[in-house]
Amino acid sequence: MIQRLRVAVETPQHTGLGAPLDYESEYGLAPGTLVHVPLGRREVTGVVWPGAAGTDNPVVLKPVARALSALPPLGGAWCELVEFTAAYYQRGVGEVALSVLPPELRKLDDAQIANRIDKLQKKWASVEAVANTPARPDLSAEQSAVLGQLADLQREAAAPTVLLHGVTGSGKTEVYLRAAEDALAAGRQVLVLVPEINLTPQLEARFSERFAGRRIVSQHSGLTPAQRLRNWLASHLGLADLILGTRLAVFASMPRLGLIVVDEEHDPSYKQQEGARYSARDLAVYRGKREGVPVLLGSATPSLESWHRAREGRYARLALPARIGGGTLPKVRLVDMNQLPKTKGSMTAVSPALVSALQQRIERGEQSLVFLNRRGYAPVLHCGDCAWKSECAHCSAWRVFHKLDRTLRCHHCGFTERVPRACPDCGNLDIAPLGRGTERLEEQLAALLQSPDGKAARIARIDADSTRLKGSLEAQLGAVHAGDVDVLVGTQMVTKGHDFRRITLVAAVNPDSSLFSNDFRAPERLFALLMQAAGRAGRDAEHAARSEMWVQTWHPTHPLYAALRKHDFEAFAESQSKEREMAGLPPYSHLAMMRADARTPEAARGFLQAAAEIASGLPGADAVTVYPPVPLGIARVADVERMQMLVESPSRGALQRFLVQWLPHLHEVRHQRKDADQRILRWAVDVDPLAI
Ligand code: ADP
Ligand code: ZN
Ligand code: ZN
């Protein structure tokens, strides 16, 4: 008996086809089965999709070529998660399905997959699940209260979404561990999401220590394809108990899922920036609801979206307002840069008061962290005679001066050249760096600070440049933990998550630029970053009382800094919410960003204008506002001109219904624009965009 079925395959985006395609098969294939099917002249991997194939299909369907029957089918809940993602973020079902499965699955045949599964079951069978009796701290009163409330919520609602708002060092991780312990004891799997791959080893260590004998696997982009497949299989087969990973892990196939934890839920890295631009945080919430499991969103500085939902009562808010052991949060000191004497040159980058505070730490044998969100030596090189600047030939951006290897590097397209000996325009030999990055900060601090024995202070720098080699980040963090470093200089990489014990001073050298950004979320991100950074200081109760956070600013009276001084997230969230409400911005409205890339700004703009014209004629157009096209902040990158157009609606549903109608037309618009000077390279829509 021939069976007609739907198969989700990756169809080329420009065709606009997103739904699964119909095939036939003579084997009874269950939904969720991996198959190989013919598509055009190729054979591709696909997933047999739930739901019936079209019955009025008159044509003879192509047969499924092969089924990978060694692999147990993907579950119905997994398929629904993928289908929801595709629909919500306006992409193809097959595209999403295949992009979140390990790539190795497409390469292996049935026998090879059977072999991998076999190996894993040998391996895991020998691991004895030890009943866990590890050393664990007695819960603080606040932690007990939070866990009690969590248990109550679970009794009432089975699948609550909980916003765990706890200051840095308040013991949120311990709450995750206890909640995980309960889920594991009930025979369930636990999914823990973290924003950064760099934070996975640290958290993995904490979970492995606590759950000795439990099977813990990680899922992130740093794994080899073979490791990724192995870990994915372990989770899919139900062998692994705990899955720890970055945003992609939200799609882990987990037949016994019992709890989802999203750590640092506000972190922008949970949003995928290409293909299906999904938010793993939001999908985690959807998944929890769909599968009836609780979701714990943890943060010291929740996103305004989550904060708003908690206020509306859609999420339960649980709070850990104090640090473990009664440690106080660092005292915040603002350095008013306007008060500094105007000296020529660069030494004012670090105020004299901050230099002596750093020196004092060194003399006491304590550590400091100084951060600046700009790597390289100086953001631009400049000729004083003719005003030449180190522009990138391919981007509307400056190339950054890297002194260590004497290069000018574009941080957007990678274009790199040796630093010229003289000004390329006028021959002036005296070209000078303007501004500063972490390399220069490191150099300046080394010149200014000394250790008590008269030698130079020990300064380490952690940023994307200094950690390029595998293992170098671990080595440098190790040196900090071992006390072999006096001052750690770094980009925001060092502000997240790390549990430094001896840091008593954290300084933000130049954070002002985000205060006046065009992106309405810039203040929210800055506040979160500074609170996170502050959280690196005084984590040891012994030092907490004298720990400090220094902020050098030209705008010391800004309300953001006023809230920071009081560590008052709520005050900050309130004032931001009011501004957003008045301006009609999220969470009080819903956005989609339509983007177009082309060789000329005119072509990109023309496409968006044509799209806007179509939009105005669609039913439901009155429920959305389409704003005029504007160039991105950095308009040209790698010779591509980038334009965007904001679409806004007070209703999420109305926005969704509008997008579904609108986007199919855009494939046509693109094809109608045949003249070379009208053509665009690509377009894409970003639903709930994070960076505007
Ligand atoms: P957060 O995740 O909120 O920043 P952590 O969970 O990392 O905080 O906890 C901060 C520190 O306090 C860690 O070193 C942790 O081991 C410790 N800690 C957490 N809970 C307890 C507890 N109940 N008793 C003693 N120490 C604790
Ligand atoms: Zn010049
Ligand atoms: Zn460039």
Side-chain angles (χ1 to χ4, degrees), residues 486-566:
D486 298 317
V487 177
L488 174 60
V489 172
T491 52
Q492 64 173 348
M493 244 175 126
V494 296
T495 61
K496 288 185 190 176
H498 303 288
D499 197 11
F500 300 123
R501 309 307 298 188
R502 300 176 213 220
I503 288 185
T504 60
L505 188 156
V506 171
V509 171
N510 185 15
D512 280 346
S513 56
S514 306
L515 293 177
F516 307 102
S517 160
N518 287 329
D519 187 338
F520 70 88
R521 280 197 184 84
E524 182 183 344
R525 281 195 294 267
L526 176 62
F527 192 79
L529 177 70
L530 293 175
M531 290 277 276
Q532 275 283 324
R536 297 315 109 210
R539 293 179 75 81
D540 220 39
E542 189 196 329
H543 302 309
R546 62 167 180 275
S547 70
E548 292 177 343
M549 161 99 182
W550 286 56
V551 178
Q552 300 196 138
T553 174
W554 298 89
H555 304 276
T557 58
H558 196 284
L560 186 149
Y561 293 135
L564 181 74
R565 286 183 78 153
K566 289 185 262 167

Side-chain angles (χ1 to χ4, degrees), residues 391-399 409-415 636-639:
E391 209 164 37
C392 177
H394 308 286
C395 305
S396 41
W398 309 120
R399 275 180 301 161
R409 274 191 242 161
C410 175
H411 288 187
H412 302 281
C413 73
F415 178 49
R636 185 166 49 104
V637 166
D639 295 315

